[in-house]
Amino acid sequence: AKLYAIPPRDIVILCQTTSFRISSYRIRLDLNSRGIYCLEHARLGFIKPEEYDTYIASLTYDQPRYERISNYLMPKLRSCKKITIVSTDCSRLIYDTPVDTPKRNIAEFSETIGTLLPTGEVFTEAMHLDRVNGELLINGYPSAEQRTLIVSPFKVFIKDGCIDSHTGPADFERLLNFLRTENPKGKVHLREMGFGMNKYISKHKPLYEITS
C-alpha cells in the first residue's frame, strides 16, 4: 500500500535478502511502469562477509568512465557484422553475425528509470544465434547453490551457437545437464554477451553472488 501511494518521479531504493519477485510480478518493473525511479539491491543474503568491501566498492560512482567506455563501444556493436572474442590462450570465438541493439546498465536515469545494482555493463546478443562458432576459456560458472565458482580456466567449444563440448570439471557438466532439461532439444545456447566496466569487480576480487 505504501508503494502504491508513491507519486511519479519519486525514487525507491529496494534492499532484499533474496529478490523482489512474486511469480511473474516484479516490484521494480511495476514501479518503473508508474514513472517511479527505482534502484534495486537484490540477493544481498547471498553475499558473504568477506565480500562486503568488494560489494560496497562496486557501488562507487564511476559515471564518467562508464560513459566514456560505453560511448566508444556501443556504436561499434551497432555497426559490426562480425565479432571475434580472443581468450588469453588465443582461442577464438567468432560471432559471424550482427548483434542486437546494445544496451547499457550505468544507472543513467535519462535512459531508464530503474536498475539492478551494481552497475557498469554493456550487453547485447547475436542476431543469428546459430552463427556463433569456435572456442573460449572460462574461469567461472554458477553452482547449484547459486554461487559463482572461480576455477582454473578451461576450454569450451561452441558449435552453431550451442555448447558442444568442454574440458571442464564434473560440476560444469552437471550444470549443462540441468540446462539441457530446459530446452526441448536438449541444447545449451549461447545468449547474452556482456562487457563488464565495473573495475571494482574482477577475477582477483569477485562477487560470488551470480547476478553480480
Side-chain angles (χ1 to χ4, degrees), residues 62 65-71 73-74 103-106 119-123 194-201:
D62 207 6
R65 181 171 172 273
Y66 292 160
E67 291 275 359
R68 184 174 69 255
I69 296 173
S70 59
N71 287 340
L73 182 59
M74 292 173 72
K103 298 179 181 178
R104 61 183 183 178
N105 176 15
I106 63 171
T119 62
E121 183 187 22
V122 171
F123 55 97
F195 297 88
M197 301 183 290
N198 193 317
K199 64 184 178 184
Y200 299 98
I201 306 172

Side-chain angles (χ1 to χ4, degrees), residues 37 63 67 104-115 119:
Y37 296 109
Q63 282 322 80
E67 291 275 359
R104 61 183 183 178
N105 176 15
I106 63 171
E108 174 50 67
F109 278 175
S110 66
E111 299 175 3
T112 179
I113 61 173
T115 190
T119 62

Side-chain angles (χ1 to χ4, degrees), residues 54-129:
T54 300
Y55 186 81
I56 292 169
S58 74
L59 305 177
T60 301
Y61 180 84
D62 207 6
Q63 282 322 80
R65 181 171 172 273
Y66 292 160
E67 291 275 359
R68 184 174 69 255
I69 296 173
S70 59
N71 287 340
Y72 171 82
L73 182 59
M74 292 173 72
K76 293 183 178 296
L77 292 171
R78 290 189 194 99
S79 62
C80 74
K81 306 299 182 190
K82 183 177 182 179
I83 293 177
T84 302
I85 304 294
V86 182
S87 296
T88 53
D89 70 342
C90 296
S91 298
R92 290 175 177 264
L93 179 65
I94 298 172
Y95 286 70
D96 192 13
T97 168
V99 295
D100 201 359
T101 302
K103 298 179 181 178
R104 61 183 183 178
N105 176 15
I106 63 171
E108 174 50 67
F109 278 175
S110 66
E111 299 175 3
T112 179
I113 61 173
T115 190
L116 182 69
L117 296 170
T119 62
E121 183 187 22
V122 171
F123 55 97
T124 184
E125 184 176 64
M127 291 291 287
H128 303 283
L129 296 177

